[in-house]
Amino acid sequence: MSRRTPPSLQYQAMQSLLSNQALAISALEDLPVLLFPSLFMEVYARAHTEMLKALVQAWPFSCLPLGDLEVSPNLETLNAVLERLTLLLAKKEHPSRWKLQFLDLQNDHPNIWIEGYPSMAQISYPDVLTDRPTENCGSMMTEEQPLILLMDLTIKHGTQDALQGHLLQWVRERRERVQLCSRNLLILSDSISEIQKALRVVRLDSIQELKVNKFWHRETMKNIVPYLSQMKNLRILQFSRMRVNVTCRHKNFSYSCKYAVHLGQLQHLQELYVHKVFFLYGQLPTILRNLTLLKTLSLSSCPLKEADLWFLSQWPCSRQLKHLRLRSLPLDNFSPEPLRVLLKHAACTLETLALEDCAITDPQLLGILPALSLCSQLSFFSFYGNHISISVLQSLLSHMARLDCLRQGIYPAPLECYPRHERWVGDFEPERFAQVQAQLEQSLRDMGTTQKVQICINFCHHYKYWTFYNLGPDGYWVVTVENIPGLSALPL
């Protein structure tokens, strides 16, 4: 017969305390600090709002990590917390036990409520905020020191998230006493007024990751980019899709110069992903020159000048790049020399390299192949969508086989698989592929490595699918349709 583990004395004491809320509230002043986390969890789960307010008022830690207690807090329960905070913020003097400095609605400490007091007491002030409380302020919030609200922010069209909207309004009404800090900001709107309304509330130097995934007009970018330059602690910037005015090229150039100046001020940027924008053309030097910490660069479907590639080849940060993607950038009329120099400089640090759908030809690949062979740390290589023959593909496979760290390579079907040996003339023809299979199989056998090799025969970036020929262990070619992850999500 199994025996149940008896409830702990701490649990029994807490249940006894909660049986009489009035008594519990009056006892908080003398309650041991180590009981606060477990008591708060129980009160929050039961939605005892009056007791919850009392706990907030007596909270003895610098942080109240609500986001780790519930991913999306109940609005009614959260309101109880905000009501008591509003009352406390209006007072010049605060309760003696109250040490709350920041209300955290992010999910940074997933086990903190289970771990309880020891971990709760160790949460420190957010690293990204440079103006921390001074020592003479102690751990208690002073009249001059605002309460910090930490939450990720999403700006989108139409009906906004009710919880986020409520919190934004709460902060907006208490601007002098509360600061909103958002580590992650996602913009899914092209409305200037909606974006500005949110950005005027958030503390811009708290933003570490910004994703813009919406078609923006020039005027939208013109009005928003000054805010961007104030995001001085931005680490990751993903910017997708911006419409160009084809009838006003001189204005496009003028705006591009202005955008580049603001982007060039993001000196803490470590990862930059840009997709389908017009303002990079001739502006890479202005944007990248001062980004001395950049280690990831992804440029996709963005017009570039050959001078931009030359700048990349001489850019000091090229020697620290870990991840590089150039996708859908027509390079067939460019000299291979800047790309060769770039790869040579990045050879000791580059772990991910994607040169995809760039119309690279046999002479160009042969020009960069010696530098590519030096990339000793490379673990992922993607080269699909380029225009190379079977003989040059075999040479490429042979060189890549010598890279010990390489785990996966994606290569184009050779030109011999297309009508008139020109990829852009027609579709891939399986019958033609059958004629070069033996040569590819021999090359793969000669490689003698455990690398995963895939031959890409079709792809669609819009719908995010890729069709591959894979050589199975039984020696037969298998066709698969897969998704390729973004550069930031690759299995490195």
Side-chain angles (χ1 to χ4, degrees):
M1 182 176 179
S2 63
R3 295 181 179 180
R4 291 185 178 181
T5 304
S8 66
L9 291 176
Q10 177 179 319
Y11 179 80
Q12 293 181 54
M14 186 173 63
Q15 294 303 315
S16 175
L17 195 64
L18 289 175
S19 65
N20 187 332
Q21 284 201 53
L23 178 62
I25 291 173
S26 64
L28 286 180
E29 191 66 29
D30 300 314
L31 188 74
V33 174
L34 62 88
L35 294 180
F36 267 81
S38 55
L39 182 60
F40 191 96
M41 286 179 66
E42 191 71 21
V43 170
Y44 190 90
R46 298 186 185 189
H48 290 173
T49 55
E50 292 306 315
M51 184 65 182
L52 195 63
K53 293 177 184 178
L55 277 168
V56 170
Q57 182 167 316
W59 194 247
F61 306 105
S62 62
C63 176
L64 179 54
L66 276 185
D68 297 299
L69 191 57
E70 190 174 15
V71 175
S72 182
N74 176 272
L75 192 53
E76 184 178 349
T77 310
L78 180 63
N79 258 332
V81 175
L82 298 180
E83 283 178 19
R84 187 48 52 99
L85 287 175
T86 299
L87 182 64
L88 290 166
L89 291 170
K91 295 181 178 180
K92 290 188 176 181
E93 295 185 3
H94 301 126
S96 58
R97 298 195 76 171
W98 194 52
K99 293 180 172 60
L100 188 62
Q101 294 178 8
F102 47 104
L103 175 62
D104 192 349
L105 298 181
Q106 300 172 144
N107 185 21
D108 289 342
H109 317 92
N111 297 316
I112 194 162
W113 289 97
I114 298 173
E115 295 165 357
Y117 166 73
S119 298
M120 194 79 71
Q122 292 177 12
I123 300 182
S124 59
Y125 205 70
D127 291 338
V128 72
L129 302 181
T130 53
D131 52 343
R132 302 185 178 203
T134 55
E135 290 183 6
N136 61 356
C137 291
S139 60
M140 195 178 306
M141 203 178 92
T142 66
E143 183 181 356
E144 295 77 19
Q145 181 190 331
L147 176 72
I148 301 295
L149 173 60
L150 299 169
M151 63 176 287
D152 293 335
L153 197 60
T154 299
I155 306 172
K156 59 184 180 181
H157 267 310
T159 305
Q160 301 295 313
D161 176 76
L163 178 64
Q164 177 179 286
H166 184 74
L167 287 165
L168 284 175
Q169 186 59 32
W170 187 77
V171 174
R172 197 174 286 116
E173 293 171 354
R174 296 161 185 81
R175 296 275 309 260
E176 294 182 358
R177 303 297 292 122
V178 182
Q179 289 185 352
L180 172 61
C181 294
S182 296
R183 183 180 56 203
N184 300 310
L185 173 60
L186 174 62
I187 300 181
L188 303 174
S189 171
D190 61 357
S191 168
I192 297 174
S193 61
E194 287 180 0
I195 299 170
Q196 287 182 329
K197 187 178 179 181
L199 292 183
R200 285 169 182 155
V201 177
V202 70
R203 181 167 162 175
L204 297 176
D205 66 344
S206 70
I207 299 172
Q208 297 184 54
E209 181 172 354
L210 171 63
K211 295 181 181 180
V212 180
N213 190 17
K214 184 69 179 179
F215 273 118
W216 275 12
H217 296 278
R218 286 184 327 200
E219 288 302 314
T220 309
M221 185 70 171
K222 175 185 174 183
N223 283 276
I224 303 305
V225 75
Y227 294 95
L228 187 63
S229 61
Q230 297 178 54
M231 300 177 189
K232 300 185 183 302
N233 290 303
L234 198 64
R235 306 290 197 269
I236 302 172
L237 173 59
Q238 295 189 24
F239 194 97
S240 300
R241 300 180 293 176
M242 183 174 178
R243 293 188 178 98
V244 62
N245 190 327
V246 295
T247 62
C248 300
R249 293 186 178 181
H250 65 286
K251 286 189 176 181
N252 291 337
F253 175 74
S254 174
Y255 284 162
S256 295
C257 295
K258 294 177 182 177
Y259 304 158
V261 169
H262 286 288
L263 290 169
Q265 296 178 31
L266 303 175
Q267 297 184 15
H268 288 89
L269 204 64
Q270 297 175 16
E271 301 178 25
L272 176 61
Y273 308 84
V274 187
H275 173 63
K276 282 191 176 180
V277 303
F278 72 88
F279 57 79
L280 292 188
Y281 189 73
Q283 299 299 326
L284 273 188
T286 305
I287 295 172
L288 298 180
R289 186 174 287 117
N290 296 320
L291 306 187
T292 57
L293 301 178
L294 203 68
K295 294 183 179 180
T296 298
L297 179 63
S298 176
L299 307 178
S300 174
S301 300
C302 303
L304 294 179
K305 284 185 174 181
E306 187 165 343
D308 291 319
L309 283 184
W310 277 110
F311 169 78
L312 280 179
S313 70
Q314 302 300 327
W315 180 41
C317 284
S318 65
R319 300 178 186 274
Q320 67 186 34
L321 274 180
K322 288 189 174 183
H323 314 292
L324 174 65
R325 166 169 275 158
L326 303 179
R327 173 187 280 181
S328 300
L329 308 178
L331 302 179
D332 49 324
N333 292 320
F334 285 14
S335 166
E337 185 61 14
L339 192 53
R340 183 194 69 80
V341 176
L342 173 61
L343 293 178
K344 181 180 178 182
H345 287 168
C348 293
T349 58
L350 207 57
E351 299 173 11
T352 306
L353 176 61
L355 304 173
E356 302 163 334
D357 190 29
C358 291
I360 293 174
T361 61
D362 282 356
Q364 292 172 314
L365 176 57
L366 293 173
I368 67 173
L369 203 49
L372 186 58
S373 302
L374 299 175
C375 298
S376 57
Q377 303 304 308
L378 208 60
S379 62
F380 176 87
F381 176 62
S382 181
F383 194 70
Y384 70 82
N386 292 298
H387 307 162
I388 59 175
S389 63
I390 182 62
S391 60
V392 173
L393 176 58
Q394 288 178 294
S395 179
L396 174 61
L397 289 169
S398 175
H399 279 76
M400 302 310 286
R402 302 167 194 164
L403 300 180
D404 294 336
C405 294
L406 190 63
R407 299 199 301 267
Q408 181 179 3
I410 301 175
Y411 303 91
L415 292 176
E416 285 79 1
C417 298
Y418 298 88
R420 297 192 354 226
H421 294 188
E422 295 179 357
R423 186 182 178 279
W424 52 87
V425 170
D427 294 331
F428 172 85
E429 295 183 357
E431 298 81 7
R432 292 177 179 268
F433 182 73
Q435 297 173 14
V436 299
Q437 281 182 2
Q439 293 168 273
L440 283 176
E441 289 167 11
Q442 185 60 49
S443 296
L444 295 177
R445 280 194 293 269
D446 292 344
M447 288 172 65
T449 70
T450 58
Q451 296 175 14
K452 180 181 180 181
V453 175
Q454 296 177 290
I455 305 298
C456 181
I457 62 174
N458 193 18
F459 57 89
C460 179
H461 293 153
H462 181 73
Y463 291 105
K464 298 182 180 180
Y465 74 81
W466 289 257
T467 305
F468 298 111
Y469 266 97
N470 304 273
L471 185 62
D474 56 0
Y476 289 95
W477 291 91
V478 179
V479 178
T480 61
V481 178
E482 304 177 21
N483 291 327
I484 294 183
L487 197 60
S488 60
L490 286 171
L492 303 177

